[in-house]
Amino acid sequence: MCSREIVTLQLGHYSNFVGTHWWNIQDASFLYNPTEAQQKEKEVDHDILWREGRTLKGEITFTPRLVAVDLKGSLNTLKQEGVLYETNQQEDIKWSGDITLHKSTPAEKNAYLTELEKEDQAILEDKGRLPGTSDVIYDDVDMKDSSSNTTKDTVEISNYAPVVFGKVFHNLDDVVRVWSDYLRVYLHPKSIHIIEQYSHLNSLHPFDIHGAGHKALEDHEARKELEDRIHYFSEECDSLQGFHVLVDTHDGFGGFAAETLQHLQDDYSSKSIMTFGFTPSNLPDDTAVRRANRILNSVLSYHRCFTHSSLFFPLSLANSLWKTIGNYANFPQLDYKLIDYHTSAVLAASLDTVSMPYRTVNPIHMCDITNNFNSLGKKVGSMSTALPFLLEAESNFVDMIQELEGHLPWLSITPHCVNQSVPFMQSVVVRGIPENIPRSPRGLYSSCRSVNDTLQVYLTENFNSCLNAGTVVKSPTKVCTPFPHIFRKNINKHGLVSTTERHQFEGIDSVPMMTSMQSSPDTAQLLNTLYTEAKKLNIRKHARYLECGLEEDEYQEILQDVADLEKCYRPKSDMG
């Protein structure tokens, strides 16, 4: 059966942090032992987000169907073209006179990346050649023909158990500077696109306002290169269903995304575009200018995202973003730091779980979600997550659901949405919950004989005026290395709450999770607070935005569009 593929775009440094964790989580779920793969029921169709290729020497590659965009100097030790198909060619110097060649000192790999390199070297010595690497020429042979015996659960390119997953690296918090510092997976040579006009962390020429992103794509060659990369991955799909777009909404990448989303909407008008807008929790908040820039960038980015997307989800671990950043999501069993490496991991695990309904072996179509959610103009959604779902080692799903006693099992990761209202509709995913249902459940759950039965009763009883869709996935979320060590000591190796503390050198392999993707009246609060704060700003006093082409009348129209969208989420009684 042909998979309905999705192409993923990551636009921005923080979005690449989130995306890196997301691909690592998926990679950790691959089964490397063919015997184990045959015995275990296949749940997730990895063909939807990943692609196969083959080198001329017959080596199979398996990489994300991804275009990742960042600034110059943001890759650290990672080469832009990746390492799978490098040719090790020397630079061709045509100058005939005297030359002086200056070479910068290469960045050093951290302990985690060094361990990965040793692992690859061991395979090189064992097989005589690193799978999918060396100096071969890449040939885009389609691996979907029936002659291939490869499955996505037994990936030939990595047909070995990655021992590094079983090791605990306690110092990654201190050494991770960019997203490639913990990238586990191989990327296709066409995946990484660098914006050459701007440098990462350059305070003299910052990429910090929405208009800078527009300017970055004014160059014809730069735009063509980006579009060619998108076309490369989309045109090889047999049945493309749409795009995931991860975007930073607080800086210039919001403007870059606006141009990119418009291109997707124009060239792929029949496809779904699900956009996730990220804001880091640790943005500088010490000056009025920085706060104003954050508000202006956000209102401009949000407007473009919900205008050019099928569905848009603003996401952050900060519950408040406009006047000040703060009131961070307080997960009862997490001790995370306000660093990108930590906060992006929580968002990535949530994204991996919430997207399960259209990534399983028998999925619904992405457009089924986007069309239902954006009915009557509701194109902005919210998301909540339980990481981990609080399940005691000796308990079961029925007991834990009943112990909630009206409290929600999840926390919001959409700023300014606090789950105070019953949603219009929601898609709830439960994963990694053992099927140890008690023989004689009590009360409302007396007829439940499975996790799915329990979930359906819970949704019906607690959200009876809401259109609910519930999905149960048996496999838990993989949070082994290089996922950060953010779980408290009473969470055991399998993500369950235990009475015995975990050893300090023992990592966590996986956790159960529960997520909710919602269209909710609470979204009105998000849009109202953003509109209120943005309206207070006199755009004529922000010359850099005007210099990049933003006009005062256009800004007022954007504010009005946000205000009009807010009305879609108000109950009719509030609209008089």
Side-chain angles (χ1 to χ4, degrees), residues 252-373:
F253 282 105
F256 191 94
E259 297 291 325
T260 306
L261 287 169
Q262 187 163 1
H263 165 71
L264 296 181
Q265 191 178 51
D266 292 342
D267 280 27
Y268 305 91
S269 57
S270 64
K271 309 303 180 183
S272 295
I273 304 173
M274 192 174 289
T275 301
F276 305 91
F278 297 104
T279 304
S281 304
N282 59 346
L283 290 179
D285 195 41
D286 54 343
T287 67
V289 171
R290 282 176 167 167
R291 288 190 287 272
N293 283 351
R294 183 174 68 246
I295 295 170
L296 288 171
N297 290 334
S298 296
V299 73
L300 295 173
S301 298
Y302 281 27
H303 176 263
R304 297 294 193 268
C305 285
F306 70 67
T307 298
H308 299 304
S309 303
S310 307
L311 197 57
F312 172 54
F313 292 92
L315 299 174
S316 178
L317 293 194
N319 295 328
S320 174
L321 286 181
W322 314 138
K323 284 186 176 181
T324 57
I325 296 180
N327 299 322
Y328 306 100
N330 183 20
F331 294 92
Q333 296 300 333
L334 296 186
D335 285 321
Y336 67 89
K337 301 175 185 177
L338 293 179
I339 57 176
D340 292 348
Y341 173 55
H342 280 199
T343 58
S344 61
V346 177
L347 296 173
S350 304
L351 186 58
D352 186 62
T353 299
V354 82
S355 60
M356 279 293 164
Y358 53 89
R359 291 173 48 217
T360 55
V361 174
N362 298 304
I364 65 174
H365 202 285
M366 184 194 289
C367 72
D368 293 334
I369 292 181
T370 57
N371 290 344
N372 285 321
F373 269 66

Side-chain angles (χ1 to χ4, degrees), residues 114 145 376 540:
T114 301
D145 60 280
L376 301 177
R540 286 177 291 183

Side-chain angles (χ1 to χ4, degrees), residues 100-159:
T100 302
L101 183 63
H102 296 276
K103 289 188 177 182
S104 59
T105 304
E108 294 185 2
K109 293 185 177 181
N110 58 47
Y112 171 70
L113 295 179
T114 301
E115 196 69 29
L116 286 181
E117 193 172 50
K118 290 180 181 179
E119 181 181 297
D120 288 344
Q121 183 62 31
I123 301 165
L124 178 68
E125 295 172 354
D126 180 52
K127 291 189 174 184
R129 182 174 60 247
L130 183 63
T133 65
S134 79
D135 57 347
V136 299
I137 300 173
Y138 180 71
D139 176 31
D140 265 330
V141 176
D142 193 343
M143 292 304 300
K144 294 172 184 174
D145 60 280
S146 58
S147 63
S148 173
N149 295 321
T150 304
T151 68
K152 304 308 172 299
D153 291 318
T154 56
V155 185
E156 283 189 16
I157 188 175
S158 302
N159 194 15

Side-chain angles (χ1 to χ4, degrees), residues 70-74 194-202 204-209 211-217 252-253 544 548:
D70 214 325
L71 305 181
K72 186 169 58 176
S74 62
I194 295 298
I195 300 175
E196 296 290 346
Q197 304 98 307
Y198 293 88
S199 296
H200 181 56
L201 298 180
N202 186 335
L204 297 179
H205 186 47
F207 194 63
D208 62 341
I209 66 170
H214 288 284
K215 291 286 187 181
L217 282 178
F253 282 105
R544 292 180 63 204
C548 286

Side-chain angles (χ1 to χ4, degrees), residues 444-501:
L444 296 172
Y445 299 90
S446 59
S447 63
C448 295
R449 296 295 179 266
S450 66
V451 171
N452 186 62
D453 291 345
T454 307
L455 175 61
Q456 302 308 326
V457 172
Y458 172 76
L459 295 178
T460 301
E461 294 298 326
N462 290 273
F463 303 95
N464 54 17
S465 62
C466 169
L467 179 62
N468 294 298
T471 302
V472 174
V473 178
K474 294 179 181 178
S475 58
T477 303
K478 291 290 187 178
V479 292
C480 44
T481 301
F483 199 89
H485 305 293
I486 57 177
F487 298 96
R488 293 184 176 175
K489 294 296 184 182
N490 63 326
I491 301 297
N492 68 17
K493 181 179 180 180
H494 304 293
L496 304 178
V497 180
S498 175
T499 56
T500 304
E501 286 195 353

